[in-house]
Amino acid sequence: MSDETRLFPDREALCRQAATELLEVLAAAVKHRGEASAVLTGGGTGTGVLTAVAELLETAEQPEAAGQAAVTAPDWSRVHLWWGDERFLPVGDPERNEVQAHRALLDRLTDPSGPVRMPAANVHPMPAATGCAPGEAADAYAAELLSRARVRNSETDRDGGGVDRRLPVFDVVLLGVGPDAHVASLFPGRPGPLAVGATVIPVTDSPKPPPQRLSLTVEALNTAERVWFVVAGTDKAEAVGEVRRARDHRSTDAARWPASVVSGRMATTWWLDEAAAGN
């Protein structure tokens, strides 16, 4: 299946449209399967998508929104949110993807006095560096994914597992692409992109600080129904070009370009601003 490319003039336009379609994907999954799961990413563009979701929801709640296009939102009580990777830092550290996501959107969704009221238990952050080693934390997150895959869905009368029985169905996985073509915390020249037999791995030698991280594996990412690469900025253009050429010519290489070997089962979409698209 070929990749789809969506091109936008800037990061703001990219995030706004991705946010709109993310809500639509989650709403459709809830309607057809009884629940939905998304895998979130950090970075400026990943967090920007969540900020845009919050803005859409806020706009929809305003009285003057009656004359505007309707926002398609899911039943948030049936949506589960996961992470593709995380910096292995203490709870509350502002560099954690989870903390940034809460500030952008999740505090609003899980506020018990707010209009959305998403159960806090539906948010599944990766463990923080508090009293455990990265390997133990990776095992704990893999166990949480497995437990959710085994939850029986009363509406569909089947468990929540997808093509990989260790994992729930990931309706959409959001991923950035680094200037070195890494995705999640799977870096070129490191063992992570080549890991087999696991859904979550510890990363202890990240070339970007902090060195300790947790990451879903290529195996896990490739179970997603949809993979969305959300990429903005001129510093990403060279990596995006290399990865896309490798994919087009069937010359993917996990060790060299980790992003080249990640694809959605139904669709793979590149959400690019003009700067990241380059030529």
Side-chain angles (χ1 to χ4, degrees), residues 4-268:
E4 178 187 6
T5 301
R6 308 285 298 277
L7 187 62
F8 300 87
D10 52 40
R11 186 199 305 266
E12 182 180 358
L14 184 165
C15 291
R16 185 168 56 248
Q17 187 60 35
T20 299
E21 296 189 30
L22 176 62
L23 290 171
E24 293 172 354
V25 166
L26 296 178
V30 169
K31 179 179 179 181
H32 296 299
R33 206 178 72 251
E35 70 171 38
S37 284
V39 176
L40 307 181
T41 188
T45 308
T47 304
V49 172
L50 301 186
T51 299
V53 170
E55 292 170 351
L56 286 172
L57 297 178
E58 182 176 3
T59 299
E61 293 162 9
Q62 302 302 319
E64 60 270 21
Q68 301 178 18
V71 174
T72 301
D75 176 350
W76 290 103
S77 69
R78 296 180 176 273
V79 175
H80 289 260
L81 300 176
W82 306 85
W83 270 265
D85 74 320
E86 185 57 276
R87 297 168 173 88
F88 195 58
L89 295 168
V91 172
D93 190 294
E95 293 299 310
R96 280 178 59 85
N97 293 333
E98 171 212 355
V99 172
Q100 296 169 14
H102 269 280
R103 290 175 177 172
L105 173 65
L106 304 189
D107 283 345
R108 176 186 182 85
L109 294 184
T110 57
D111 182 354
S113 62
V116 175
R117 299 184 183 179
M118 179 183 194
N122 286 18
V123 178
H124 304 272
M126 287 184 164
T130 306
C132 66
E136 295 170 321
D139 290 344
Y141 204 61
E144 186 168 357
L145 287 161
L146 176 61
S147 68
R148 189 65 215 169
R150 289 178 172 172
V151 170
R152 180 68 61 173
N153 186 321
S154 60
E155 291 197 5
T156 60
D157 194 32
R158 67 176 181 83
D159 63 27
V163 293
D164 187 324
R165 306 305 288 181
R166 301 170 296 176
L167 298 165
V169 175
F170 293 148
D171 295 287
V172 59
V173 167
L174 302 179
L175 291 170
V177 176
D180 59 356
H182 81 267
V183 286
S185 282
L186 306 174
F187 295 94
R190 299 297 199 272
L194 305 176
V196 295
T199 58
V200 188
I201 56 170
V203 176
T204 59
D205 59 352
S206 166
K208 291 179 60 179
Q212 293 187 328
R213 297 161 176 251
L214 305 176
S215 183
L216 297 188
T217 61
V218 170
E219 280 184 26
L221 295 172
N222 281 345
T223 69
E225 299 293 285
R226 302 164 190 82
V227 166
W228 289 2
F229 293 106
V230 290
V231 192
T234 55
D235 61 322
K236 311 295 179 64
E238 183 176 354
V240 167
E242 293 283 1
V243 169
R244 286 160 60 83
R245 280 189 289 274
R247 294 166 74 91
D248 288 346
H249 296 104
R250 303 293 192 271
S251 57
T252 56
D253 185 339
R256 185 175 180 185
W257 304 300
S260 70
V261 295
V262 177
S263 298
R265 297 180 61 251
M266 287 176 48
T268 304

